[in-house]
Amino acid sequence: MKPAQIPWLVLLRGCGRSCLHQSSWNFERMQNLGLLYQLLPGLRHLYGGAPPPAVLQRYTGYFNTHPFLAPWIAGTALRLEERQLAGEPLPVDAMAFRQMVMAPYAAIGDALFWGALRPLAAVVGLFLAMQGFLWAPLALLTLFNLPHLLCRGAGWLLGYVQELRSVETLQRLRLPDVAIWLKEGTVILLGVLCGILAVRGCEHQAIEALWGLVLLPVVLLFAWLARRGVTSFALVIITTVSLLGLALVMR
Amino acid sequence: MGITDYLATGTLAMLLGLDRVAFLQCMVSRPLVAAPLTGWLLGVPLTGLEVGMLLELLWLGRLPVGTVIPPDDTQVAIGATALALTLERLLGLQGMPAVILCVLVAIPLGQVGLYADGRARRANGQLALQAEAAAAAGHSRRIEWLHLCGSGHFALAGLGTCAVIVAIGTLILYPLAPLLVGAVRETGLSLQYSFTLIGAAVLLGTLNVRRGLYLFGLAFVATLLVLWLR
């Protein structure tokens, strides 16, 4: 295998472009142009400024994965393009690699970042805001963005340097397990948050804090309704109308 | 609100709207960040934080996966903060009951965001078709330009949604707010806390954690007992 030839500056440009991965998200081909946009600085370097139409057309087809893990794919795809251009025999070409990993990477990224880290960061932020900390939004941003930006940056570079071995690196990180732990932490924090709200409500009504336990079945009922497909919007309307009606009747 | 405030709100709606899909997704578009930022820009940071706290959990369980378009809580947060300032300036109404009214009006109006976001994504479909032609011709610079144009569609979708929330919300709240604010005040903390509790419940229902209900129940009861015994 020939050593990598693309300069670090060009790689960094591609990495920076990963921030705009979903700029042209569309229903038909989803993130196709986003991937090509990341690869173009590298492809231009490889093809002396003008990548041929055949290469560009390879990337205009359907592509969809998690935006934070797309850099892992982009880095590897660029290295495979480089080796393909050098005429090296490849176990898998850039197109096939892209097709193989986009769905598993999407599943990993969605579960970790959207399904676990985002709720945890939001609940921590909300928890701090309710304690009166004005910098709570900054806590949310920090908690979410440290892993996010690390994943983007390291993903691009590891993808390029490690090539197909980057898949093993990602596997070794056991991200699905991390997602489950984060979700469990979020659920516990939600319980604490609701418990605090219940006690505060009781104190405001000047009743014993233990009455707050009444809230537990209500929250669980709403959780069950949500699982059955009732939207937040509908629950807000039902609750608001009930509470306002009750307030008017008690007046 | 003066013209400068509207311009600032519009600019923020576009910039934070980009964070939802098109650019970086670093979560500055979350209500807990977007609303205080709007409030800070308009000179009412605490009102913004209150709006953000009410809205943060409501749609957190709706994941932006595949072709799913989650409700635009960013524009609801920005719009509700702008509405709260409008109520304060026009009618002298302030405090949590006024904020809750603004949020209650902004939530249904925010459904426009689903339509606007869908339009932006369909418009981007046209860009993808043009990019295919550009690729066939070997015009890589044009592909880059077309890709970046997609951000413009998302920014416009955000701006349009925010404009609808602020404009129609003002028309609704101007006559109704003085009549309803008393009733909202009488609900005490229940209505205020109900947003967070509904959000928590929906999140709990969608997090898909094994033994999640037990963990939640245990944490809830333990917290309550600790605070009761304190």
Side-chain angles (χ1 to χ4, degrees), chain A residues 13 17 19-30 32-37 40-41 44 49-54 56-57 60 64 67-68 110 114-116 118-120 122-123 125-126 129-130 133-134 136-138 140-141 144-145 148-149 152 180 183-184 186-201 203-205 208-213 215-216 218-220 222-224 226-227 230-233 235-237 239-240 243-244 247-248 250-251, chain B residues 20-28 30 32-33 36 46 49 52-54 56-69 104 107-108 111 117-122 124-129 131-132 134-141 143-152 154 179-180 182-184 186-191 193-213 215-217 219-221 223-225 227-228 230:
Chain A
R13 275 190 72 194
R17 284 180 173 216
C19 300
L20 286 154
H21 179 67
Q22 297 202 112
S23 278
S24 62
W25 197 104
N26 58 88
F27 287 113
E28 292 80 16
R29 292 165 187 79
M30 298 199 174
N32 61 339
L33 298 185
L35 182 66
L36 182 53
Y37 184 71
L40 272 173
R44 283 208 190 95
L56 296 176
Q57 283 176 306
T60 52
N64 186 42
F68 302 170
D110 289 341
W114 295 157
R118 190 175 73 149
L120 180 67
V123 174
L126 187 61
M130 288 197 155
F133 292 106
L134 288 176
L138 289 180
L140 184 161
L141 291 176
F144 183 82
N145 284 310
H148 156 215
L149 295 175
R152 272 191 202 266
I180 291 171
K183 280 182 183 180
E184 286 175 348
T186 306
V187 166
I188 292 170
L189 212 52
L190 273 178
V192 174
L193 188 74
C194 291
I196 291 172
L197 287 186
V199 171
R200 279 191 193 170
E203 282 171 354
H204 187 257
Q205 300 285 333
E208 199 70 44
L210 271 184
W211 279 104
L213 281 174
L215 218 54
L216 182 58
V218 177
V219 176
L220 294 180
F222 279 5
W224 179 77
R227 207 170 269 185
V230 180
T231 61
S232 307
F233 180 51
L235 290 174
V236 167
I237 298 292
T239 312
T240 304
L243 289 173
L244 284 178
L248 288 173
M250 305 262 284
R251 194 182 255 183
Chain B
R20 288 181 66 78
V21 182
F23 179 71
L24 197 57
Q25 295 182 293
C26 68
M27 298 301 120
V28 285
R30 290 303 312 157
L32 193 59
V33 183
L46 277 178
L49 192 63
M53 283 160 63
L54 292 176
E56 180 57 37
L57 295 186
L58 272 186
W59 292 294
L60 194 58
R62 296 287 294 274
L63 309 186
V65 174
T67 55
V68 174
I69 302 176
L104 284 172
I107 286 175
Q111 299 294 312
D117 206 329
R119 282 292 298 263
R121 290 167 196 240
R122 275 191 288 279
N124 285 350
Q126 294 302 313
L127 295 178
L129 287 177
E132 271 183 27
H139 295 153
S140 62
R141 299 277 176 204
I143 295 173
E144 286 174 336
W145 169 247
L146 289 166
H147 176 64
L148 294 176
C149 282
S151 302
F154 283 115
L179 305 174
L180 291 173
V184 173
E186 283 188 34
T187 61
L189 287 178
S190 5
L191 193 54
Y193 285 174
S194 71
F195 286 89
T196 307
L197 292 172
I198 290 170
V202 173
L203 191 56
L204 189 65
T206 50
L207 264 179
N208 205 12
V209 178
R210 203 159 58 92
R211 305 189 311 270
L213 293 183
L215 287 175
F216 176 83
F220 182 96
V221 173
T223 306
L224 206 114
L225 287 177
L227 292 177
W228 179 58
R230 193 182 50 173

Side-chain angles (χ1 to χ4, degrees), chain A residues 37-150:
Chain A
Y37 184 71
Q38 287 183 59
L39 292 175
L40 272 173
L43 291 176
R44 283 208 190 95
H45 180 84
L46 290 178
Y47 290 95
V55 174
L56 296 176
Q57 283 176 306
R58 277 210 283 267
Y59 293 95
T60 52
Y62 173 86
F63 179 74
N64 186 42
T65 192
H66 191 275
F68 302 170
L69 290 181
W72 290 73
I73 301 176
T76 305
L78 187 61
R79 180 72 179 122
L80 290 172
E81 287 286 352
E82 188 180 6
R83 288 183 62 193
Q84 195 171 336
L85 184 67
E88 292 182 37
L90 297 173
V92 57
D93 65 13
M95 271 298 285
F97 173 75
R98 194 185 77 147
Q99 297 293 343
M100 270 190 317
V101 296
M102 67 178 178
Y105 278 23
I108 292 170
D110 289 341
L112 178 66
F113 288 103
W114 295 157
L117 187 60
R118 190 175 73 149
L120 180 67
V123 174
V124 168
L126 187 61
F127 191 83
L128 293 173
M130 288 197 155
Q131 306 307 313
F133 292 106
L134 288 176
W135 45 266
L138 289 180
L140 184 161
L141 291 176
T142 309
L143 193 56
F144 183 82
N145 284 310
L146 283 180
H148 156 215
L149 295 175
L150 186 70

